[in-house]
């Protein structure tokens, strides 16, 4: 609750979870705001004052994580597609929440030019 994250769930054609993409609230807001071409100051207010994404930012974030499925579609790996996405603060299913601590995890610091910095984690359960 103190550090809300967005979670995107990617599945194989057999509906097995292939990967998770986790973004902290700032990065979720920055990426959604950049895609929607929203003014950085307004997006910063969402992060600092509201602590949750607007409907427009949530929709734009969904598009961002949908495009990120391409990261997991490489030769020799099962095809991945976006199955669902959860905005920061949404309740996560227990099995998905349990996968977030998987050992096959890459944690990154990411900057969206003109907006700000945040954290991104890619998890392969």
């Amino acid at each position: 609750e103190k550090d809300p994250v967005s979670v995107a769930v990617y599945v194989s054609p057999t509906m097995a979870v292939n990967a998770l993409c986790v973004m902290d609230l700032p990065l979720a807001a920055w990426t959604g705001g950049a895609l929607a071409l929203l003014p950085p100051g307004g997006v910063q207010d969402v992060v600092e004052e509201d602590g949750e994404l607007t409907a427009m930012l949530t929709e734009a974030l969904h598009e961002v994580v949908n495009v990120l499925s391409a990261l997991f579609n490489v030769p020799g790996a099962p095809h991945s597609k976006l199955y669902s996405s959860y905005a920061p603060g949404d309740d996560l299913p227990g099995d998905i929440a349990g996968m977030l601590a998987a050992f096959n995890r890459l944690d990154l610091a990411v900057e969206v030019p003109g907006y700000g910095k945040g954290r991104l984690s890619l998890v392969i359960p």
Side-chain angles (χ1 to χ4, degrees), residues 20 42 56 71 81 86 94 103 116 119 121:
L20 303 172
M56 178 185 284
L71 289 174
K81 68 176 183 175
Y86 301 89
F103 291 106
R119 295 173 296 162
S121 295

Side-chain angles (χ1 to χ4, degrees), residues 32-100:
L35 180 67
L37 301 174
L38 298 175
V43 179
Q44 185 172 358
D45 289 345
V46 166
V47 172
E48 294 176 358
E49 296 173 16
D50 301 341
E52 63 183 14
L53 300 183
T54 63
M56 178 185 284
L57 283 173
T58 300
E59 185 177 327
L61 175 63
H62 183 84
E63 292 302 318
V64 169
V65 295
N66 188 38
V67 170
L68 285 177
S69 68
L71 289 174
F72 307 110
N73 291 319
V74 296
H79 180 76
S80 294
K81 68 176 183 175
L82 179 64
Y83 175 71
S84 62
S85 62
Y86 301 89
D90 286 355
D91 290 332
L92 294 176
D95 60 336
I96 299 300
M99 290 179 193
L100 294 179

Side-chain angles (χ1 to χ4, degrees), residues 11 16 19 27 30 35 40 49 60 63 67 74 76 90 101 111 122-124:
V11 297
L27 186 61
W30 305 144
L35 180 67
E49 296 173 16
E63 292 302 318
V67 170
V74 296
D90 286 355
E111 181 174 0
L122 301 173
V123 182
I124 309 296

Side-chain angles (χ1 to χ4, degrees), residues 4-44:
V5 295
S6 69
V7 178
V9 180
Y10 303 93
V11 297
S12 71
T14 62
M15 299 302 291
V17 175
N18 280 3
L20 303 172
C21 176
V22 184
M23 291 186 202
D24 65 1
L25 174 64
L27 186 61
W30 305 144
T31 58
L35 180 67
L37 301 174
L38 298 175
V43 179
Q44 185 172 358

